[in-house]
Amino acid sequence: MSNGTTSLPIVLALDDSPVIHQMIKRALEPGYQVITAANAVDALSIIYHQRISVLLLDVQMPDVNGLEFCRTVRSLPQFQHLPVIMVTSQDSPFDRVKGHLAGATEYLIKPFDAEQLRETVRKFIYT
């Protein structure tokens, strides 16, 4: 991307569903630059090479689940303060506790609406 978009806050969406990637992009663009990743390896590479403002993270993933990925991110000193929003269909109180214990900053339930996602992300963007 060129001119103008580089100054936008970058949101990384880690989810194995292309449908969710599109929903997130539709909800957040053009106010944010949205980068998507379908697996943990790609997402880790992106957070090392881009200045990510917020990480959206699915819990149920085929390779490394979102809880494990969140714990990995939190174990790295440079990412301890990165806002991590779990975006998941797992809605029990125990699931929420597991998410927060893994290091999630916020917990958003699928299906979400676009305004709900924008509001949640906006809370963590410091301009």
Side-chain angles (χ1 to χ4, degrees):
M1 302 197 163
S2 62
N3 301 349
T5 58
T6 54
S7 64
L8 292 174
I10 300 173
V11 175
L12 172 59
L14 173 54
D15 197 300
D16 59 326
S17 167
V19 172
I20 296 296
H21 288 175
Q22 287 308 309
M23 288 175 64
I24 290 170
K25 283 184 173 200
R26 270 191 240 114
L28 298 179
E29 291 177 341
Y32 302 94
Q33 180 181 348
V34 178
I35 300 174
T36 59
N39 62 65
V41 172
D42 290 347
L44 204 51
S45 175
I46 291 166
I47 66 171
Y48 269 109
H49 295 98
Q50 299 281 337
R51 187 184 252 335
I52 303 300
S53 298
V54 173
L55 172 62
L56 302 178
L57 183 55
D58 185 19
V59 173
Q60 294 177 304
M61 304 244 298
D63 54 355
V64 175
N65 78 37
L67 297 172
E68 292 172 42
F69 188 79
C70 190
R71 282 190 286 270
T72 299
V73 167
R74 290 294 184 231
S75 73
L76 302 167
Q78 66 269 45
F79 303 121
Q80 286 179 349
H81 299 290
L82 175 67
V84 176
I85 302 169
M86 293 282 184
V87 182
T88 181
S89 57
Q90 297 181 338
D91 190 21
S92 78
F94 184 62
D95 289 322
R96 289 173 179 266
V97 167
K98 287 192 303 186
H100 288 293
L101 288 175
T105 315
E106 188 68 71
Y107 204 90
L108 186 63
I109 302 303
K110 293 178 189 174
F112 54 84
D113 65 44
E115 185 53 37
Q116 183 184 27
L117 179 62
R118 281 191 295 272
E119 242 176 66
T120 304
V121 168
R122 194 177 305 125
K123 288 194 298 189
F124 300 104
I125 299 295
Y126 309 105
T127 54

